Amino acid sequence: MEARAQLNYARISPRKVKIVCDLIRGKDTKTAAAILMQTPKAASELMIKVLKSAVANAENNFEMDPENLYVAAAYADPGPIIKRFMPRAHGRAYRINKRTSHITIVVKDKE
């Protein structure tokens, strides 16, 4: 049995989130939360919220034991890109891409 939580349209690049996802994938939820608390990345705050939500979903919706859960999957998919323009010299304009992410964490029971 698995439970998941997803954060859509997070205003952070998926490239930055994937670095933090790699740190917690395969770890038990207590260790993953401890790692995220000590990681000085902007994505770690968002990931803590998603991890807590996934554990709560497992406990409330599927009656799993929260002590017996591990992070089965953690990934960040790209969301829509917000496009902006920055004025440059000689009347030009450069495009600025403000990227978004869809962050997903899946937790499972240890067998």
Side-chain angles (χ1 to χ4, degrees), residues 78-99:
I81 298 171
I82 303 167
K83 297 173 181 89
R84 297 288 180 261
F85 288 96
M86 175 76 78
R88 307 302 291 180
H90 300 285
R92 295 187 179 100
Y94 285 2
R95 189 161 84 182
I96 305 295
N97 290 330
K98 296 181 178 278
R99 299 183 185 274

Side-chain angles (χ1 to χ4, degrees), residues 29-51:
T29 54
K30 297 273 189 204
T31 308
I35 290 170
L36 290 174
M37 291 283 197
Q38 298 300 317
T39 304
K41 295 275 188 188
S44 63
E45 291 181 26
L46 300 171
M47 298 279 290
I48 288 171
K49 289 183 179 182
V50 179
L51 179 63

Side-chain angles (χ1 to χ4, degrees), residues 50-86:
V50 179
L51 179 63
K52 286 181 181 177
S53 178
V55 171
N57 288 343
E59 186 176 2
N60 293 318
N61 299 345
F62 302 108
E63 287 146 13
M64 296 181 190
D65 180 23
E67 301 292 323
N68 203 23
L69 294 174
Y70 75 99
V71 180
Y75 52 90
D77 296 324
I81 298 171
I82 303 167
K83 297 173 181 89
R84 297 288 180 261
F85 288 96
M86 175 76 78

Side-chain angles (χ1 to χ4, degrees), residues 6-12 77-80 82 99-103:
Q6 189 168 16
L7 171 63
N8 288 328
Y9 306 107
R11 259 295 290 125
I12 187 167
D77 296 324
I82 303 167
R99 299 183 185 274
T100 60
S101 316
H102 301 314
I103 303 168

